[in-house]
Amino acid sequence: MIFPHRYLFALAALLGVASDILADKLVLVAGGGTTKDGGPAIAAAIGQPFGMARDKGGNLFIADYSEHRVWKVDSKGIISVAAGTGKKGYAGDGGPAIQGQFDGMHDLVVAPNGDVFVADSYNLRVRKIDAKTGTLSTVAGDGQKKIAGDGGPGEKASLDGVASLWLTGDKLYMTGFSAAVRVLDLKNGILDRVAGINGGRSIAVDSKRNVYVGGGTTLRVLRPDGKAEVLHDSKKAAGGDVKLGDNPKHLGFDADENVLIADDFGHQIKKYIVAEKKLAVVAGSGKKGKAGLDGLPLQAELDGPHAVYFDPATKCVYLGDSRNKRVLKIEP
């Protein structure tokens, strides 16, 4: 059922949805089409978007899990390949990123200088696409599935898993399919383990250095003072409260540094409102499907969203509607 706007504000309080986005619109950014790269992103065929971020020039980079490629959507909406041949493997370091091979990438982040860091998950490595030269390299992980090498060079260390990245300053945080949270110092290339919190599926670090980790049915935080806390889990969601979901895939922040969460099995984007210590729904009716483009985010259907990203420049929330093979955004 489609509700008139005037009823949705009342429903927000009753259903635990984020009322601040009730006037927003959900639109297509990329995917869902049939054409190849070099044309409009909204007409292109992509695989499963699992992570995304924009650079200062307005280019949107997308980590495509199933196509083993990084896509770039420029400020005019044209899509092209930024990295990857599309063939699954591990190859290409030292050469052009477009000739490199990846395996099941799950996330990416963009540095202020335009460098793109990719969670090359099944290769158990973090790769870098150099913004100036287009060259591909490995900055963390030697391909061995274990925790080893802390205190030494990132490319010689071992990762037991990597599916989520977060960049703050010169520190690149990583976790995902991992028992640990690791951090790479981009100035000296040294990888270390973050003490005080276990790994999870996804990670985000706010401006106050609070480290949030999501996984399973739990959202946790490591405070700057070293104290860890469970913010939300199945035990904390009672009665009619919004639940975290069984499979949160990706974390981010909105403009107020509330924690955005991509809920795979719930087919929704949610957020943990820090000041209120509760969850609210940002996008998705909870019904699996493809309907609702160009309408209200709360009334749209999604299918297994794996990515969520807030762009401070445009105030838009981008989301990977992964099993629908498209990238969407919430326009304020």
Side-chain angles (χ1 to χ4, degrees):
M1 179 180 293
I2 304 299
F3 294 96
H5 286 199
R6 64 181 180 274
Y7 295 129
L8 287 171
F9 290 93
L11 282 172
L14 292 174
L15 300 180
V17 299
S19 60
D20 56 324
I21 54 92
L22 288 177
D24 296 345
K25 183 169 70 171
L26 189 69
V27 300
L28 179 66
V29 174
T34 58
T35 64
K36 302 296 182 181
D37 64 292
I42 59 173
I46 65 174
Q48 297 183 55
F50 269 28
M52 63 197 67
R54 293 178 86 230
D55 66 12
K56 290 182 178 179
N59 300 298
L60 177 70
F61 292 87
I62 303 165
D64 191 327
Y65 165 81
S66 57
E67 293 295 314
H68 313 293
R69 278 177 163 152
V70 176
W71 303 100
K72 182 179 82 170
V73 179
D74 69 17
S75 59
K76 295 181 180 179
I78 302 301
I79 193 169
S80 61
V81 177
T85 64
K87 182 179 179 180
K88 181 171 66 173
Y90 174 68
D93 279 1
I98 57 173
Q99 296 177 13
Q101 293 179 359
F102 300 83
D103 189 357
M105 65 184 80
H106 275 65
D107 198 8
L108 61 74
V109 293
V110 180
N113 69 353
D115 290 346
V116 180
F117 295 90
V118 181
D120 191 6
S121 302
Y122 298 150
N123 282 322
L124 295 168
R125 292 174 167 98
V126 178
R127 318 280 290 278
K128 183 181 83 168
I129 305 166
D130 189 281
K132 291 183 178 179
T133 65
T135 301
L136 183 66
S137 62
T138 294
V139 298
D142 62 2
Q144 298 184 71
K145 188 175 176 59
K146 60 183 180 179
I147 299 174
D150 288 340
E155 71 273 15
K156 294 183 179 181
S158 300
L159 309 176
D160 64 329
V162 56
S164 182
L165 303 176
W166 193 270
L167 181 63
T168 178
D170 56 9
K171 307 295 184 184
L172 179 63
Y173 289 80
M174 60 193 75
T175 192
F177 314 133
S178 173
V181 175
R182 317 285 282 280
V183 59
L184 179 70
D185 189 319
L186 296 179
K187 285 186 176 180
N188 59 26
I190 300 300
L191 184 75
D192 272 312
R193 183 166 181 167
V194 176
I197 193 165
N198 293 329
R201 173 57 179 80
S202 50
I203 191 167
V205 184
D206 70 13
S207 63
K208 297 178 181 178
R209 299 286 176 151
N210 291 296
V211 179
Y212 293 88
V213 175
T217 59
T218 303
L219 178 66
R220 295 170 284 132
V221 64
L222 176 66
R223 305 293 186 189
D225 62 6
K227 295 180 180 179
E229 178 186 355
V230 174
L231 297 175
H232 209 281
D233 61 14
S234 57
K235 296 178 182 179
K236 289 180 179 288
D241 292 347
V242 174
K243 293 179 174 58
L244 183 62
D246 293 331
N247 209 16
K249 290 296 190 184
H250 200 96
L251 302 181
F253 294 111
D254 67 9
D256 300 314
E257 291 198 311
N258 296 308
V259 185
L260 296 169
I261 305 162
D263 182 355
D264 176 9
F265 293 167
H267 311 297
Q268 291 179 316
I269 302 297
K270 298 171 180 175
K271 71 176 176 181
Y272 178 78
I273 304 171
V274 175
E276 300 178 20
K277 298 184 179 181
K278 70 176 186 180
L279 286 168
V281 180
V282 173
S285 66
K287 180 181 179 181
K288 175 181 174 180
K290 298 181 72 171
L293 281 183
D294 300 316
L296 293 170
L298 295 172
Q299 296 176 287
E301 296 173 358
L302 306 173
D303 189 356
H306 276 62
V308 60
Y309 166 74
F310 173 74
D311 178 33
T314 62
K315 309 300 182 184
C316 292
V317 175
Y318 289 78
L319 57 111
D321 190 12
S322 304
R323 295 193 182 94
N324 280 327
K325 298 184 176 183
R326 62 189 185 180
V327 175
L328 311 176
K329 71 176 176 180
I330 300 172
E331 291 184 337

